[in-house]
Structures are given as structure tokens and as C-alpha cells.
Amino acid sequence: MVRIDEKVFFFSGSGNRNLFAFLHHAESVKNSIGVVYCHPFAEEKNMSHSIIVKAARMIAEEGFPVFRFDLSGCGDSEGDLDHSTVEDWRQDLDKAIEIFHQETGVSRYLLWGLRLGAGLALMREQCPKDDEPAGLILWQPVLDFSLHIEQFLRRSISSQILKKSNGLVSGMNAETEMRIYDTAHVIGYPITKHLYNSFNEIGNQPLTVTPSYPTLIVSVSLRDQPAVALKQHADRLRRSGTPVTLCHVSAEPFWDRYWQWECKNAAAVTLQWIKKFC
Amino acid sequence: MVGTVMEEPVQFICNNKRLYGILHIPDSVVTPATIMIILTGGPQVRTGGHRLYVQLSRFLCGHNVSTFRFDYEGSGDSEGDFVGFQHAGPSLAAAIHFLHNRFKNELNVIIWSLCDGAAAAALYAATNQEYIRGLVLCNPFVITEQGVARSNIKHYYGKRFFDKEFLRNLICFRLNFKRTIKSLLQNIIDAQFFTMNKTIVTTSNKTFSPALVIDSLQKLKKPIRIILSTDDIVAANFQDELKKNKAIKNDYKKNKIINSFIKGADHTFVDPSAREKLFSLTLQAVNEIESIGFANVS
């Protein structure tokens, strides 16, 4: 097995915030292409962390450098969620790609995202031609940011139900809390109007993006086939001329539950697909 | 990087595996004499659920307290397969060794932890007291099936059957009467029939006794501050386990161990006001522990 070098550091992201970076880089085996990973939103990031780290190490051991980083106000990065917007994260992703090139000397890259991170990767379709990714790896992508933030806000109701345990929730819901106080606290995360609006500004734009470069969609669920929405999305991309591959992995939706440590099949299909770029 | 705080990502080695953490050192501190180590609990990474550990570290740093939060073996960014809290000791030892190399050998540590990390901290500190200055433990995890059943009856049903709203809903059939009674009966059965079961089945299917954690608190000759949420079955269960150990009462009398409570807080302090209270109680605990000095307290 190749011993990969690993480097942790901060770099300057949007608004000059210091963003945490983790570079997996196999110096001894070099491929001409690497991977930049973009994480999901809020607790989904924590729940999926170990699986992503294991997948990143597996990819790096095959000679593909992998660059992971934390968006503004997330993980180890500077700032708080109540001072961040989706626009900041898009800028963070641009900076991260720049740093990936600087640190590895590798010019071609694949953009890999899970859930919201996959949505952000899709939104980078509008970047300058000379800095386009060679391909996209979308793990269970979020294609509608408005729906995603709505569903997240609804978690405050679920947590109140759990707390009260009698099924009758008397507290105000997160949307009302946000309207009155400007910020709603949902399972410990502060969601400001500003952040909420920035999700809505993106809305379902990722659904309409049709990349010209190869795209891998990995669907993960306990079912034996991909969700209808992902199948339809893949069909739509195919009709628009995107070279798309849809893979389904039957596994726990690991971004939505704790105590998940590995999703070997998702990592394996991804690595197999990446190897086509050599 | 944040205000008057320097944050630095670091790598260190444990059992030939690379572990990762973040050092938070206030700008005003050149060489810290004491560092508070945050040991992760449950399946969490070093940032904590809803970034609790990041915010706690930044708060403490703003009050001139240096902290170090890291992923133990197999969790977060650190290498290896997840080992579980019973086996976090070697990672903790490696973290302390790293801090000694980095700063100076006389450096002491306070260990702060939540849930099963608190159990891991107690187990480690009791047998490795040399550099430990004290512990700050939040909602320590000492769960047994029997304990959970008993705590449910006492702390949940005990309160619920005196709650007007609950009774009104039950009488008006707005709650599933059959399911409620069935659940209560199941808890009573569990509490009665698991009386011989003194072990915890943990996530890694290893077993150990909750009494070990309580005994460890007793063995440790350093100040211990315990912060408990009032809306948390883990905290309630911990208090029930404490009551079983008569000898530990002396430690409370001598103020070696002091409990503080956060009213209305849940297990991970999700509510912003509970979190603020947690931060200020932690700061108070750290200051108390530092003021006691390094001498043994019992």
C-alpha cells in the first residue's frame, strides 16, 4: 500500500476567512488529475465525515490527490453559520480549487460533492472555461436548495416533538422564529434570514445545469435502485448531451445517521470511474 | 486567527496512526502552563455536534484558556478504524505526549468531555494522574439497559404522570393509551429483570461496568467538575449510578467533585441559552481547577 502524505493547513477563503484544508497527496504515485471535495450542510457533514475520509484515503492511495476543506462558518473554518451565505461558499470553492492547483501542481481536477456539496459543485458550471473541472462526482446531490433548507428548518419541529415526547408541539416553528428574531436555531445551527434567502436565490438551479464534461451520479439508499428523481435527472442530463453515469449503491444514507463508518461500494464505484481519466 | 486567538491544525502519532487536532492558543500566551483537552464523545468529530467544541474552544480562548481538540483513533480525520470510547486512552496519552513535546514537559492538562468521552476521560485519568490537573465532565455516559429503564420510570414517567397536559391528552385519547402503558410496563420489566445485568453493551459490542467509571472518579485525586443537563436521560442515569456508590459522597463533601445543573438543557446543549450557560460553567470550572493548583485534593 502507498503511504500517502497528509497535510493540514488554513487558507484564505471568501471574506479573507481562514478555511481549514486537508490534502491527501501520494507523492510516490502521480496521476495527472486530482479531486477537490465539497462537504454537505450542517450535521450531514459530521455524520458523513468518517466515510468521506476513508473514501478520500482510498482514492489518494491510487495516486489521485484529494483536497478536502471546510466552507466558511463550517467545521474547523473561521466564522459562524450566521455570518455565511451560499454565495460565500461558492467563492470558497473557487479558492479551494486555486489552492489545490498550487499545493499539488496538478492542473486537471474532478469536483466531488456530497448532498449540498454536490449541488455547489454543479453550480460551478458557470466558471471560466480554462478552469473547468474534468468531471463531476455527485454523491446523492441536492438539486433544489430551497427544498433543502425548508426540510432542514422542519427538523426544529422534529426535535421539539422528541423533546416534548407527547407529539404536541407548542413552540413556534423555525420559520416564525426567523421572521421575528431574524435567526432560527435548528438542532444547534443558527439559520439567519440572510442564509435562508441565499438558499432560495439558488433554488432549483442545479437541476437545470447540464455540464459538458463527464458526470458520475452516485445514489445511496437502502432500496435496490436509485430514487426516481435521480433517475429522471440522469435521463435529463443524458438527453442534453452530458456524458452521465448513474450508479446505485444499496447502503444506509450515511449523511443522515450517526455510527456509520464505511460505504465501501460508493468509494469503489467512484474510484473505478476516476481511473478512466488516467 | 479569530480575534485574539491563534488556531493551528496539527498532526501527531498514536499506535503508528496519524491523529489530527486543532490547537487554540490565545495570542497573549507564549507557552501555556495548562491546556484543556477536549476529548470527543459518541460518534462525533473534533468540531462537535453543531460545532459545539469549536465554539467552546473559541470562547475559552477569548478568556485566555488554551485548548486542544482532536479526533481519537478511527474518528474524524484520524487514521484507523473506530475504536470506541473504552479504547480512547492511548489516543489521549498520545495527545498529552504531543503537547509536552510541543510546549514543555511540565505542562498539565484539564480534560473536558461529553457523554461517553467523559467516561473515557475518567477511566484514563484514574490510572494516569501524573499530568492531569482536573476533569470537566458533561452528562457522563454510564448506561445500562436496566439503568435506562429505571431512569425512564423515575425521571420520565414520574414527571409525565403528574403533568396536567399529558394527563389531559391521555384521557382525551389524543395519545395512544395502549402504547403508553405498554411502554411503561416494558420499562418496569426491564428494570426488574435486568437486575443482574451490570454491564453496558456499547456500540463496539464490548462490555464494561458503569461502576468502573464511578470508581475511577473516586480514585482520581484531582478536582472534578460535572455539568449535567436536566432534560437528558444520560445525565439522569449518571445521577442514579452515583447514588449507588456510598463512598463517593465523601468526595462531594470535600468539594473534590462538584455537580452543576443546566435547567432545560438537552444532552448536547442544542439550545443557545443552554450552550452559553455550558460555556460559562466550563470557564468557571477551569478557573476553579487552576486555583486549586496541582496538589492532590484527597
Side-chain angles (χ1 to χ4, degrees):
Chain A
M1 190 195 288
V2 178
R3 174 82 167 176
I4 45 169
D5 294 321
E6 294 184 337
K7 185 177 172 186
V8 281
F9 57 99
F10 284 112
F11 68 95
S12 181
S14 64
N16 282 329
R17 279 180 284 242
N18 284 304
L19 306 186
F20 173 77
F22 196 117
L23 178 64
H24 307 257
H25 197 185
E27 285 287 348
S28 51
V29 184
K30 281 187 180 166
N31 282 305
S32 58
I33 193 161
V35 180
V36 177
Y37 171 75
C38 193
H39 65 74
F41 182 58
E43 211 59 12
E44 288 189 358
K45 177 185 190 298
N46 287 357
M47 295 190 202
S48 60
H49 196 95
S50 287
I51 284 172
I52 294 301
V53 170
K54 281 200 169 70
R57 287 199 170 113
M58 186 176 158
I59 294 165
E61 277 163 12
E62 295 289 331
F64 303 96
V66 180
F67 184 81
R68 297 186 287 114
F69 71 103
D70 291 346
L71 297 162
S72 291
C74 303
D76 289 315
S77 289
E78 190 176 347
D80 279 315
L81 211 50
D82 46 4
H83 293 107
S84 309
T85 63
V86 175
E87 187 46 43
D88 293 334
W89 297 338
R90 293 178 71 183
Q91 288 174 31
D92 290 341
L93 182 53
D94 289 345
K95 291 270 189 179
I97 291 161
E98 222 178 284
I99 300 297
F100 163 79
H101 293 314
Q102 274 175 31
E103 288 287 328
T104 61
V106 174
S107 57
R108 290 169 74 219
Y109 70 98
L110 299 163
L111 254 187
W112 170 30
L114 168 65
R115 305 279 294 142
L116 185 91
L120 290 170
L122 265 169
M123 290 304 293
R124 210 169 176 277
E125 197 256 352
Q126 296 145 1
C127 71
K129 279 275 172 208
D130 60 350
D131 196 29
E132 264 186 359
L136 288 181
I137 302 161
L138 311 173
W139 281 21
Q140 200 68 29
V142 166
L143 300 169
D144 187 334
F145 281 37
S146 297
L147 186 64
H148 192 57
I149 195 70
E150 289 300 334
Q151 284 172 342
F152 184 73
L153 292 184
R154 269 179 233 148
R155 283 184 179 239
S156 72
I157 300 172
S158 327
S159 59
Q160 281 184 56
I161 290 170
L162 276 175
K163 202 174 172 185
K164 299 268 300 175
S165 303
N166 59 4
L168 300 169
V169 180
S170 53
M172 67 175 78
N173 66 34
E175 276 137 312
T176 314
E177 192 186 337
M178 198 164 52
R179 210 166 42 241
I180 299 172
Y181 302 110
D182 199 55
T183 303
H185 293 273
V186 183
I187 53 163
Y189 290 91
I191 308 297
T192 60
K193 261 188 214 166
H194 205 45
L195 177 62
Y196 176 78
N197 290 340
S198 72
F199 271 79
N200 285 326
E201 271 163 33
I202 299 290
N204 66 358
Q205 283 181 59
L207 201 59
T208 61
V209 172
T210 52
S212 54
Y213 30 83
T215 299
L216 170 70
I217 301 176
V218 178
S219 146
V220 182
S221 76
L222 287 170
R223 295 186 201 153
D224 53 8
Q225 54 181 319
V228 176
L230 280 186
K231 259 200 250 178
Q232 285 174 345
H233 185 60
D235 287 344
R236 202 177 309 126
L237 289 180
R238 213 168 278 127
R239 281 196 301 273
S240 310
T242 302
V244 63
T245 308
L246 173 63
C247 287
H248 178 69
V249 170
S250 185
E252 293 272 358
F254 55 83
W255 57 89
D256 195 31
R257 53 208 62 183
Y258 286 114
W259 306 107
Q260 304 293 312
W261 308 109
E262 244 170 335
C263 189
K264 280 184 180 165
N265 290 345
V269 294
T270 303
L271 180 59
Q272 205 180 354
W273 188 80
I274 292 172
K275 282 180 174 174
K276 290 179 187 168
F277 289 84
C278 288
Chain B
M1 61 172 278
V2 181
T4 58
V5 175
M6 188 276 287
E7 294 182 18
E8 183 191 343
V10 297
Q11 181 196 86
F12 58 103
I13 303 293
C14 170
N15 292 335
N16 208 26
K17 294 186 178 75
R18 289 172 286 194
L19 308 190
Y20 293 91
I22 305 278
L23 263 173
H24 295 247
I25 309 292
D27 273 353
S28 55
V29 175
V30 181
T31 309
T34 304
I35 290 187
M36 191 184 93
I37 293 181
I38 296 179
L39 180 66
T40 60
Q44 277 302 346
V45 295
R46 62 172 181 269
T47 53
H50 48 87
R51 296 181 91 213
L52 182 73
Y53 308 155
V54 175
Q55 287 167 354
L56 175 63
S57 294
R58 288 177 184 169
F59 169 85
L60 291 173
C61 244
H63 291 82
N64 280 328
V65 177
S66 305
T67 68
F68 181 51
R69 52 190 173 84
F70 74 102
D71 295 320
Y72 68 75
E73 190 179 335
S75 68
D77 287 327
S78 293
E79 285 186 313
D81 290 324
F82 182 69
V83 292
F85 73 94
Q86 310 98 303
H87 305 288
S91 300
L92 200 42
I96 295 170
H97 182 69
F98 161 77
L99 293 173
H100 281 159
N101 280 343
R102 174 65 191 264
F103 297 103
K104 57 178 184 180
N105 284 331
E106 307 90 75
L107 179 132
N108 301 310
V109 299
I110 294 169
I111 307 173
W112 183 101
S113 196
L114 167 69
C115 191
D116 63 17
L123 294 174
Y124 174 83
T127 49
N128 301 274
Q129 304 202 17
E130 200 182 353
Y131 300 110
I132 308 292
R133 192 141 188 173
L135 301 181
V136 184
L137 308 178
C138 306
N139 300 329
F141 176 95
V142 283
I143 294 276
T144 60
E145 286 177 56
Q146 177 206 3
V148 170
R150 276 193 181 160
S151 299
N152 268 335
I153 295 167
K154 188 174 162 189
H155 302 285
Y156 178 71
Y157 289 104
K159 275 184 200 164
R160 304 297 282 155
F161 281 103
F162 290 101
D163 177 11
K164 277 183 197 164
E165 194 187 358
F166 175 79
L167 287 174
R168 194 164 47 240
N169 290 329
L170 194 65
I171 292 161
C172 298
F173 298 103
R174 272 187 275 176
L175 287 181
N176 188 329
F177 186 81
K178 204 172 148 188
R179 200 191 303 159
T180 306
I181 296 300
K182 197 178 159 192
S183 164
L184 170 63
L185 286 176
Q186 189 59 52
N187 276 297
I188 292 170
I189 291 166
D190 289 351
Q192 290 303 313
F193 287 87
F194 287 122
T195 49
M196 297 308 289
N197 180 0
K198 301 239 183 229
T199 58
I200 321 177
V201 178
T202 66
T203 48
S204 53
N205 285 329
K206 299 271 165 50
T207 56
F208 92 111
S209 159
L212 264 179
V213 177
I214 309 294
D215 290 348
S216 299
L217 296 179
Q218 232 190 305
K219 269 187 209 158
L220 182 64
K221 309 279 183 229
K222 309 289 175 186
I224 301 165
R225 298 296 175 261
I226 297 172
I227 301 172
L228 298 164
S229 300
T230 60
D231 276 8
D232 177 33
I233 200 74
V234 175
N237 189 74
F238 174 75
Q239 291 173 78
D240 292 341
E241 290 294 333
L242 271 183
K243 282 173 195 156
K244 290 181 193 166
N245 188 319
K246 302 267 187 290
I248 208 162
K249 281 183 183 162
N250 263 338
D251 289 333
Y252 277 94
K253 276 184 194 157
K254 289 177 189 165
N255 283 341
K256 184 189 104 178
I257 308 179
I258 298 175
N259 289 357
S260 305
F261 295 87
I262 302 182
K263 207 176 167 213
D266 65 3
H267 187 58
T268 65
F269 310 94
V270 157
D271 189 72
S273 60
R275 204 177 316 150
E276 265 176 43
K277 186 82 182 146
L278 170 72
F279 292 178
S280 63
L281 279 174
T282 300
L283 179 62
Q284 189 186 322
V286 168
N287 288 336
E288 271 175 31
I289 291 169
E290 294 226 67
S291 69
I292 290 167
F294 197 68
N296 290 342
V297 289
S298 61

